[in-house]
Amino acid sequence: MQINEIQDELIEDFAFYQDWMEKYEYIIQLGKEVPLIEEQYKTEEYIIKGCQSKVWLFPELKDGKIYFTADSDAIITKGLVSLMVKVLSGQTPQDIAKADLYFIDQIGLKEHLSPTRANGLLSMVKQMKLYAIALQAAS
Amino acid sequence: MNTKEILKAINIEKIRADFPILQREVNGKPLVYFDNGATTQKPKQVIDAVAHYYEQMNSNVHRGVHYLSQISTDAFEVTRRKLQAFIHAEHEHEVIITKGTTESINMVATCYGRKFIGEGDEIIVSAMEHHSNIVPWQMLCDEKGCVLKVIPMNDRGELDLDVYKSLFSSKTKIATFTYVSNALGTINPVKEMIDIAHEHQVPVLLDAAQAVQHMAVDVQALDVDFLVFSGHKMYGPTGVGVLYGKEALLNAMPPYQGGGDMIKEVSFEKTTYNELPFKFEAGTPNIEAGICLGEAIDYLNELGLEQIKAYEDELLAYATAELSQVEGVRFIGTAAQKSSVISFVVDGTHPYDIGVILDKLGIAVRTGHHCAQPVMERFGIPGTVRMSLAMYNTKAEVDTLVEGLKRALKMLL
Ligand SMILES: Cc1ncc(COP(=O)(O)O)c(C=O)c1O
């Protein structure tokens, strides 16, 4: 599926949840589904800075597409990571680098994107795009 | 009055009515504000004074002969006298008005350090300091080649006084520690610690940022050499704070910054510095905050710190008891003497997760390391959830927090 198709699907999913509690419960659930990073990569090198909670993110290039594995020590952050991985994993470096992630706003998580938020969702998105650009150059 | 009578006499509803922000909602829920350690809310007496200053008084201080400059200067100096009385300083000119605790500590590290600290000298700090009472001293160490000696603490978050005593040497030039820990709530035995330092002829800087709003502080009774605190944590405006220093020490120190107000005469050959306190107050101060801090002091005095302490202690005990009923809660900081702060973790969750869900319920707490990373490291945790109380908090709000926490844990665990 294309990035935007996945985004639209998530927007539909989230529309189903009325109040914030259900929304967060869904995010927590998504956290449990994130493709987990291998323990050996949970190092300084793969940590995303600027988070109150820790996030590890590992990219891998396979057949011209980038696959992410990740983890976080905070459950909600892990859910947010999972959302990003869902949207961007398995896409080409070109598509990731130029992706416009409008779904974050539309599912009401925009507050998590401001640069001052402690979860570092913004640094996460930036890092994913940086990996894409680096791997694009390498491939 | 005994504690019971005090608690009966205190009228929390009336106090709450003075704080307009406590009336607002957050995320559709009535605000429950438990982040008072970071900053307190302001009573309308302070808020009104800010508007009054700009509508009726605005003018630079210590400069003009005109009417407005005189009344603003007078009002600014009235605050200095209120501060003097508030901490019971011997002289008015021992009260330097600064931007806040951080600036006050930096002033001492820089000015006292410049004059009295050299290579190989030692500075004693405690293991529970806020970053702003660590980093300025480290910067001095980088510059001068002096070293920090750290007073360790036990598992309850109490400083080890035996080790403290053993840290003094002929090279010790200053000891600095907090009165109340912002991360743990520990009240340190500061009088005893100051006396020990003085036995070694070592002056003490006391960080009272988390003390002055909760208990009466008397610099002469403590015999402390430097005392620092912030206006915004004691119901006053942001951007103003205090450096108290003993006259002889302040006189012996070089000025902090050069500029207007801090000079007597300037020529290109030689400049002579102004007297205390102006020697340390270069440039236009935060006039409005300085003046309005006086209102906050009046407000505290009217309620009385003894009453405030009795009420807050009772609330602290209640909150501690209620939170200890919640399964999984582990307190970080269980000192015998505590004030106004409860830090905790819940195993299996991250403080951040709890903070996010409480926020959705309109409850403001702080999560993270609270600018005290060495404390978190000491306890082997990434951070805590911190509730910090003020005199306007209620038992009902504690109940709301406990319910919110249970709800959060149900979602997270
Ligand atoms: C114990 C302690 N020291 C210093 C500070 C720094 O105060 P400010 O940021 O007002 O300069 C704080 C504030 O969090 C504190 O709690």
Side-chain angles (χ1 to χ4, degrees), chain B residues 37 100-103 105 130 132 178 180 182 207 209-210 230 232-233:
Chain B
T101 305
T102 301
E103 184 177 55
I105 295 171
H130 188 281
S132 65
T178 192
V180 173
N182 69 309
D207 177 351
Q210 298 291 348
S230 296
H232 70 95
K233 293 185 198 283

Side-chain angles (χ1 to χ4, degrees), chain B residues 42-293:
Chain B
K42 320 304 171 197
K44 69 178 186 304
Q45 288 83 340
V46 170
I47 299 168
D48 290 349
V50 175
H52 178 77
Y53 168 74
Y54 283 114
E55 285 170 7
Q56 299 293 331
M57 302 169 79
N58 178 48
S59 182
N60 211 329
V61 289
H62 309 128
R63 301 202 176 169
V65 294
H66 61 80
Y67 177 76
L68 289 183
S69 176
Q70 282 175 27
I71 59 168
S72 62
T73 302
D74 287 347
F76 196 79
E77 292 306 314
V78 164
T79 293
R80 196 187 309 276
R81 286 195 287 281
K82 286 179 184 172
L83 285 164
Q84 178 199 356
F86 185 65
I87 57 172
H88 197 227
E90 187 178 357
H91 305 291
E92 180 181 333
H93 57 252
E94 292 174 321
V95 176
I96 315 291
I97 296 179
T98 67
K99 280 197 304 202
T101 305
T102 301
E103 184 177 55
S104 300
I105 295 171
N106 275 279
M107 283 169 86
V108 178
T110 304
C111 305
Y112 178 86
R114 217 178 262 164
K115 179 85 181 233
F116 294 107
I117 301 180
E119 196 176 337
D121 283 341
E122 295 168 0
I123 296 164
I124 295 178
V125 301
S126 95
M128 62 172 76
E129 295 312 300
H130 188 281
H131 293 164
S132 65
N133 201 23
I134 300 174
V135 184
W137 303 106
Q138 284 175 326
M139 288 163 65
L140 183 70
C141 289
D142 283 346
E143 194 184 313
K144 294 268 191 165
C146 47
V147 283
L148 295 188
K149 297 270 166 181
V150 183
I151 317 163
M153 59 181 158
N154 63 22
D155 291 340
R156 292 189 301 277
E158 296 165 323
L159 294 178
D160 185 328
L161 291 202
D162 289 330
V163 176
Y164 170 61
K165 285 176 198 158
S166 73
L167 292 179
F168 286 90
S169 78
S170 60
K171 293 189 171 142
T172 312
K173 288 294 149 67
I174 192 166
T176 179
F177 39 82
T178 192
Y179 201 144
V180 173
S181 157
N182 69 309
L184 304 168
T186 313
I187 306 176
N188 288 315
V190 295
K191 176 62 184 144
E192 192 184 341
M193 293 174 73
I194 291 165
D195 288 346
I196 292 167
H198 286 173
E199 281 166 26
H200 298 272
Q201 282 80 49
V202 171
V204 170
L205 183 154
L206 190 57
D207 177 351
Q210 298 291 348
V212 287
Q213 64 280 49
H214 300 299
M215 60 191 78
V217 173
D218 181 330
V219 290
Q220 291 184 77
L222 289 173
D223 195 23
V224 70
D225 303 276
F226 298 106
L227 183 99
V228 299
F229 54 96
S230 296
H232 70 95
K233 293 185 198 283
M234 52 185 285
Y235 310 100
T238 326
V240 68
V242 169
L243 164 61
Y244 159 84
K246 284 182 182 166
E247 180 182 29
L249 274 166
L250 291 176
N251 272 329
M253 284 155 50
Y256 183 53
Q257 294 175 322
D261 253 6
M262 57 75 73
I263 48 85
K264 233 186 216 140
E265 275 176 279
V266 176
S267 74
F268 284 106
E269 287 71 44
K270 182 163 175 58
T271 290
T272 47
Y273 302 133
N274 207 338
E275 284 151 17
L276 294 177
F278 306 112
K279 173 176 139 187
F280 289 103
E281 294 181 1
T284 300
N286 189 335
I287 304 169
E288 134 234 339
I291 290 174
C292 300
L293 178 56

Side-chain angles (χ1 to χ4, degrees), chain B residues 343-400:
Chain B
S343 249
F344 64 90
V345 293
V346 180
D347 293 325
T349 68
H350 193 284
Y352 172 80
D353 290 322
I354 294 174
V356 168
I357 293 175
L358 291 179
D359 174 56
K360 287 283 168 197
L361 294 166
I363 303 164
V365 293
R366 184 151 173 206
T367 64
H369 55 61
H370 318 300
C371 297
Q373 282 179 340
V375 175
M376 301 303 129
E377 206 164 297
R378 164 68 179 74
F379 288 96
I381 48 176
T384 71
V385 180
R386 180 186 74 176
M387 79 178 290
S388 48
L389 308 171
M391 60 184 170
Y392 43 61
N393 289 127
T394 63
K395 287 186 181 172
E397 287 181 312
V398 171
D399 295 342
T400 306

Side-chain angles (χ1 to χ4, degrees), chain A residues 20-21 24-25 28 52-53 73-77 111-112 119, chain B residues 29 348-350 352-353 356-357 360-361 367-368 407 411-412:
Chain A
W20 69 268
M21 240 183 105
Y24 274 78
E25 270 165 355
I28 290 166
Q52 199 180 86
S53 46
D73 59 350
I75 299 159
I76 293 172
T77 311
E111 61 191 74
H112 290 284
N119 63 50
Chain B
K29 306 275 187 336
T349 68
H350 193 284
Y352 172 80
D353 290 322
V356 168
I357 293 175
K360 287 283 168 197
L361 294 166
T367 64
R407 210 164 147 187
M411 288 172 72
L412 294 167

